[in-house]
């Protein structure tokens, strides 16, 4: 299966686009295998809002297996097509990274998904079971 990047559309915000869209104030990894992002969304760059207000959010990835973070401009040098045509929050279907990940034998890899979060400064690639997005 070839990799396919699919934009995540949230119910209240729709797709999120643009380098200035997602701002992170804190990233926390807890002892329950959660990775939690808190910050603000530029409402003008949210498909369903188009407002000048900034919206606070909490994005929690559950049962995180691994994640990789890289400075945005460096990441675009690694994968020059990474962000040009996609939203700031994506699922990578048919992920080569997930496919090649040597997980423990008692893990069911089919439960996991590869997510991407592009912020002003950094790109996060996350392998997790699911997520919650609250504004």
């Amino acid at each position: 299966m070839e990799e396919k990047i699919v934009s995540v559309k949230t119910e209240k915000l729709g797709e999120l686009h643009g380098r200035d869209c997602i701002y992170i104030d804190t990233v926390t990894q807890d002892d329950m295998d959660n990775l939690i992002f808190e910050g603000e969304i530029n409402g003008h760059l949210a498909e369903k809002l188009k407002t000048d207000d900034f919206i606070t959010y909490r994005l929690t990835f559950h049962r995180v297996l691994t994640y990789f973070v890289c400075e945005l401009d460096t990441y675009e040098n690694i994968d020059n097509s990474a962000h040009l045509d996609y939203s700031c929050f994506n699922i990578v279907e048919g992920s080569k990274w997930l496919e090649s990940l040597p997980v423990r034998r008692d893990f069911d890899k089919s439960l996991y998904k590869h997510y991407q979060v592009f912020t002003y400064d950094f790109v996060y690639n996350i392998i997790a079971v699911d997520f919650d997005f609250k504004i």
Side-chain angles (χ1 to χ4, degrees), residues 6 12 19 21 23 25 27 30 32 42 47 49 58 61 70 75-76 80 82 89-90 94 105 107 122 129 133:
V6 178
K12 294 182 181 178
R19 183 169 181 165
C21 187
Y23 289 89
D25 294 329
V27 178
D30 68 17
M32 300 295 292
N42 180 340
E47 176 185 36
L49 290 183
R58 180 180 174 107
F61 292 94
C70 186
Y75 188 81
E76 288 181 339
N80 61 7
F89 185 22
N90 305 304
R105 291 179 191 210
F107 279 32
F122 294 98
V129 170
F133 192 94

Side-chain angles (χ1 to χ4, degrees), residues 78-89:
I78 294 168
D79 182 0
N80 61 7
S81 65
H83 191 233
L84 300 177
D85 297 323
Y86 306 108
S87 77
C88 299
F89 185 22

Side-chain angles (χ1 to χ4, degrees):
M1 175 185 246
E2 190 172 319
E3 282 190 341
K4 179 181 177 186
I5 298 182
V6 178
S7 300
V8 173
K9 294 182 180 186
T10 66
E11 183 179 328
K12 294 182 181 178
L13 301 176
E15 285 186 22
L16 305 173
H17 286 276
R19 183 169 181 165
D20 294 337
C21 187
I22 299 175
Y23 289 89
I24 294 177
D25 294 329
T26 62
V27 178
T28 307
Q29 183 175 358
D30 68 17
D31 63 354
M32 300 295 292
D33 299 332
N34 295 314
L35 187 63
I36 304 157
F37 295 80
E38 293 180 304
E40 295 182 323
I41 301 288
N42 180 340
H44 183 70
L45 298 174
E47 176 185 36
K48 291 186 177 181
L49 290 183
K50 300 294 183 195
T51 177
D52 289 334
D53 296 332
F54 278 77
I55 314 315
T56 59
Y57 74 89
R58 180 180 174 107
L59 174 58
T60 304
F61 292 94
H62 301 285
R63 295 179 57 192
V64 172
L65 193 56
T66 186
Y67 63 95
F68 166 74
V69 61
C70 186
E71 186 272 333
L72 179 64
D73 295 321
T74 301
Y75 188 81
E76 288 181 339
N77 288 333
I78 294 168
D79 182 0
N80 61 7
S81 65
H83 191 233
L84 300 177
D85 297 323
Y86 306 108
S87 77
C88 299
F89 185 22
N90 305 304
I91 294 175
V92 181
E93 293 180 350
S95 168
K96 293 176 186 172
W97 182 37
L98 176 56
E99 181 182 317
S100 68
L101 202 60
V103 299
R104 295 177 3 195
R105 291 179 191 210
D106 60 332
F107 279 32
D108 181 356
K109 209 177 349 180
S110 69
L111 298 175
Y112 291 86
K113 294 182 180 130
H114 177 177
Y115 298 95
Q116 293 178 321
V117 178
F118 288 82
T119 72
Y120 183 78
D121 292 316
F122 294 98
V123 177
Y124 291 81
N125 279 274
I126 303 152
I127 303 291
V129 170
D130 60 9
F131 70 92
D132 290 317
F133 192 94
K134 297 179 181 170
I135 59 170

